[in-house]
Amino acid sequence: MSLKGKTAIITGSTSGIGLGVAQALAQEGANVVLNGFGDAGEIETLRKGLEADYGVKALYNPADLTSVAESVDLVESTVKELGAVDIVVNNAGVQHVDLIEDFPPEKWDFIISLMLSSPFHIIRTAIPYMKKQNWGRVINISSVHGLVASDKKAAYVSAKHGLVGLSKVVALETANYNITSNAICPGWVLTPLVEKQVDLIAEKEGIDWDAAKDKLLSEKQPKLEFSKPEQLGGLVCFLCSEHASTITGTSLSMDGGWSTR
């Protein structure tokens, strides 16, 4: 599944799922463009580590994805610096929880801008380059919440459902340009933020970490096991390979059975 010489943009890739995806793509030989927030020194260490470990070029672009201009420039600057944009992985996301009547409008606008509008602007900018080279992969990291809903998550669920629909439209419009467009829909993924949630349950209820993990997962997910960022990365790499060249316009669940209920 070598992706040697390909260039990938991965949003929200300074930690968690996005970093796992970036590492997997770099391991397959792709040059990567990181994007996200965090300590500048830590991000530089990550960037240098990818180059040293995998012999690829790794750039960091601090684009604010709530800005149309910066979302577009993320693509344009990648082409300018690395010569192409072959793979786009839209992953950046945030969460806010509130009843719909209490949901702050500014939170709605922020989440939709970051998680749906920015992917649209990144994709619309990248597609002409992909068409010109007759090859491209668009992968939107949606969520099980792109397939089913949970209460108090109006903006997140709406954005993730929108990503699934956007993936389908892009697939239809690029079907004969050797470009594929798909959504990945994970359930619980073991990221540092989720680990903290488990820690809090364990502390609050006076139980061990494994029992707290099972309690968290069992609320929604039949399989009491977290997916891991590197597993998401493996699925992204598969979708970028020639083995998946006719998989387009679909949503692939990695949710431990959550969406089957």
Side-chain angles (χ1 to χ4, degrees):
M1 293 197 298
S2 175
L3 298 172
K4 187 173 178 59
K6 302 295 186 186
T7 294
I9 296 170
I10 310 100
T11 68
S13 52
T14 52
S15 64
I17 292 173
L19 179 57
V21 170
Q23 289 169 330
L25 288 168
Q27 188 172 11
E28 292 297 331
N31 300 317
V32 295
V33 178
L34 303 176
N35 162 263
F37 298 113
D39 178 80
E42 291 177 3
I43 293 171
E44 179 62 8
T45 298
L46 287 175
R47 188 196 68 76
K48 287 181 176 178
L50 289 169
E51 290 191 332
D53 291 344
Y54 304 115
V56 300
K57 293 179 181 177
L59 305 180
Y60 170 66
N61 188 311
D64 175 358
L65 300 182
T66 63
S67 162
V68 175
E70 292 191 36
S71 295
V72 170
D73 184 66
L74 177 58
V75 178
E76 299 289 8
S77 63
T78 296
V79 174
K80 183 177 180 180
E81 294 184 61
L82 295 177
V85 55
D86 304 291
I87 299 161
V88 165
V89 182
N90 288 304
N91 168 73
V94 293
Q95 179 64 278
H96 181 80
V97 178
D98 249 328
L99 291 170
I100 197 161
E101 64 265 32
D102 299 323
F103 210 98
E106 63 274 14
K107 292 289 188 182
W108 169 276
D109 291 342
F110 178 79
I111 290 171
I112 296 299
S113 175
L114 174 67
M115 294 170 54
L116 185 56
S117 295
S118 179
F120 163 74
H121 293 300
I122 290 170
I123 293 167
R124 74 175 176 86
T125 308
I127 287 297
Y129 293 108
M130 292 179 176
K131 284 184 174 180
K132 186 175 180 180
Q133 66 200 20
N134 197 44
W135 199 95
R137 297 291 186 264
V138 174
I139 300 166
N140 293 313
I141 306 299
S142 180
S143 165
V144 64
H145 282 119
L147 306 173
V148 298
S150 293
D151 60 341
K152 300 181 181 179
K153 297 180 179 180
Y156 189 88
V157 170
S158 297
K160 293 301 192 180
H161 271 67
L163 272 181
V164 170
L166 179 61
S167 302
K168 293 177 180 180
V169 173
V170 175
L172 291 174
E173 294 182 2
T174 61
N176 293 303
Y177 291 91
N178 204 19
I179 298 168
T180 65
S181 172
N182 294 287
I184 297 176
C185 299
W188 286 109
V189 181
L190 189 59
T191 64
L193 287 175
V194 171
E195 286 189 50
K196 289 180 182 178
Q197 287 182 259
V198 178
D199 291 340
L200 287 172
I201 293 170
E203 181 180 352
K204 181 179 178 182
E205 306 211 1
I207 56 180
D208 66 25
W209 200 90
D210 286 337
K213 176 205 74 170
D214 289 352
K215 183 176 178 61
L216 177 66
L217 290 171
S218 64
E219 292 177 7
K220 298 282 189 178
Q221 192 169 293
K223 186 174 180 66
L224 300 179
E225 184 177 332
F226 288 111
S227 297
K228 298 180 177 65
E230 57 265 32
Q231 292 175 307
L232 271 291
L235 183 51
V236 167
C237 289
F238 170 70
L239 289 174
C240 291
S241 75
E242 289 306 305
H243 298 300
S245 62
T246 59
I247 299 176
T248 194
T250 193
S251 302
L252 291 89
S253 298
M254 187 182 278
D255 65 8
W258 182 334
S259 59
T260 64
R261 284 179 163 171

